[in-house]
């Protein structure tokens, strides 16, 4: 069965420090992987997806099929990055959409 | 069109009552999703429509839950004979391709 795990419930880093939010998945097939973010008092929104291979707000994520991971990274965290981050996967046609439990990132001044 | 909207934003009901939530997707989006989110958890998939066809239903969706999307536009999610365990945030999302756009959610409290 498809599953997404995010081992850290809370991650605290200081401003300017590197940050890595971990995500591992299990899926029988080739999933599409996403990172969604929810800032305080805002709705859930897409941050980035693996197929577009883009950097958004300085964040990148690389799909490692061997390790079934899709970790989110940023070299220098900013206070405005503080939010809830969810890793998610789906099948090729939007089916079987599964979210991880989320990691709360707190960037300290 | 300012995005996905959901109504009501909050609903308080007594155990055993029926409730219905509405979701209005972004107008050109053909896919519509419903999720449930409880405190400390990520959104849990409930059901998925492509146009008016309900293509997928989670095992979480017991027979007390029903969703419709008549004419492939807005969608409704009905919960019959509510239980305290149904208390949660119910999220709707729509998409044209793979990027889902979420609504603000409906917070249900069952007393």
């Amino acid at each position: 069965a498809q599953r997404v795990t995010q081992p850290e419930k809370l991650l605290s880093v200081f401003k300017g420090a590197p940050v890595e939010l971990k995500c591992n998945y299990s899926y029988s097939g080739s999933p599409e992987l996403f990172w969604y973010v929810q800032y305080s008092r805002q709705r859930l929104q897409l941050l980035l997806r693996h197929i577009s291979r883009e950097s958004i707000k300085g964040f990148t994520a690389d799909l490692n099929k061997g390790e079934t991971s899709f970790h989110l990274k940023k070299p220098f965290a900013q206070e405005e990055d503080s939010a809830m981050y969810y890793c998610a996967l789906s099948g090729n046609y939007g089916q079987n959409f599964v979210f991880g439990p989320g990691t709360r990132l707190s960037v300290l001044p | 069109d300012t995005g996905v909207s959901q109504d009501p934003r909050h609903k308080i009901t007594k155990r055993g009552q029926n409730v219905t939530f509405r979701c209005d997707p972004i107008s050109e989006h053909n896919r519509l999703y419903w999720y449930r989110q409880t405190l400390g958890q990520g959104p849990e998939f409930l059901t998925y429509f492509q146009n008016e066809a309900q293509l997928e239903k989670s095992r979480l969706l017991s027979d007390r839950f029903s969703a419709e999307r008549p004419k492939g536009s807005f969608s409704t999610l009905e919960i019959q004979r509510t239980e305290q365990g149904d208390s949660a945030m119910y999220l709707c999302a729509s998409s044209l391709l793979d990027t889902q756009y979420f609504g603000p959610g409906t917070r249900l409290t069952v007393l």
Side-chain angles (χ1 to χ4, degrees):
Chain A
Q2 54 269 24
R3 189 178 171 198
V4 176
T5 57
Q6 295 177 250
E8 303 129 334
K9 282 196 169 183
L10 174 64
L11 183 63
S12 294
V13 300
F14 286 102
K15 176 183 171 182
V19 62
E20 181 179 50
L21 301 170
K22 290 184 167 48
C23 170
N24 288 88
Y25 67 91
S26 60
Y27 189 80
S28 54
S30 294
E32 297 191 10
L33 275 297
F34 307 84
W35 276 99
Y36 278 80
V37 61
Q38 189 166 26
Y39 301 102
S40 179
R41 299 180 182 278
Q42 294 188 27
R43 58 184 72 183
L44 200 57
Q45 58 185 285
L46 178 71
L47 180 62
L48 55 78
R49 1 171 233 165
H50 90 270
I51 58 172
S52 56
R53 294 184 151 276
E54 57 198 343
S55 173
I56 303 291
K57 300 184 179 183
F59 284 97
T60 59
D62 290 319
L63 179 59
N64 185 324
K65 292 185 178 182
E67 296 183 358
T68 59
S69 68
F70 188 57
H71 303 327
L72 184 68
K73 300 177 184 179
K74 184 170 182 176
F76 308 104
Q78 303 299 313
E79 288 183 69
E80 55 265 30
D81 296 329
S82 296
M84 197 74 188
Y85 291 80
Y86 296 97
C87 183
L89 67 76
S90 77
N92 291 336
Y93 301 102
Q95 78 279 22
N96 306 131
F97 214 94
V98 177
F99 279 85
T103 297
R104 181 169 297 283
L105 175 64
S106 178
V107 181
L108 307 171
Chain B
D1 193 333
T2 56
V4 178
S5 61
Q6 292 186 245
D7 184 67
R9 295 291 304 277
H10 303 273
K11 178 72 178 177
I12 299 174
T13 192
K14 292 184 178 179
R15 190 175 54 187
Q17 297 294 304
N18 299 342
V19 294
T20 300
F21 309 142
R22 178 180 170 121
C23 171
D24 286 274
I26 294 172
S27 56
E28 65 268 24
H29 286 185
N30 58 348
R31 296 178 183 175
L32 188 146
Y33 302 78
W34 283 100
Y35 296 88
R36 181 175 68 188
Q37 186 174 23
T38 52
L39 201 60
Q41 300 296 318
E44 296 173 292
F45 170 79
L46 292 179
T47 190
Y48 157 52
F49 290 85
Q50 179 138 333
N51 300 311
E52 66 274 13
Q54 190 173 19
L55 296 187
E56 193 179 353
K57 289 172 64 172
S58 164
R59 282 170 290 180
L60 292 173
L61 215 64
S62 75
D63 56 5
R64 296 186 298 106
F65 288 71
S66 62
E68 294 182 343
R69 193 183 181 197
K71 303 178 184 177
S73 56
F74 71 93
S75 176
T76 58
L77 177 69
E78 182 183 14
I79 309 174
Q80 296 182 325
R81 305 181 303 282
T82 52
E83 302 173 355
Q84 287 185 323
D86 297 330
S87 295
M89 177 74 85
Y90 289 84
L91 296 170
C92 174
S94 71
S95 74
L96 190 56
L97 296 172
D98 56 4
T99 300
Q100 294 187 32
Y101 295 84
F102 281 82
T106 294
R107 182 168 296 284
L108 173 65
T109 302
V110 182
L111 302 176

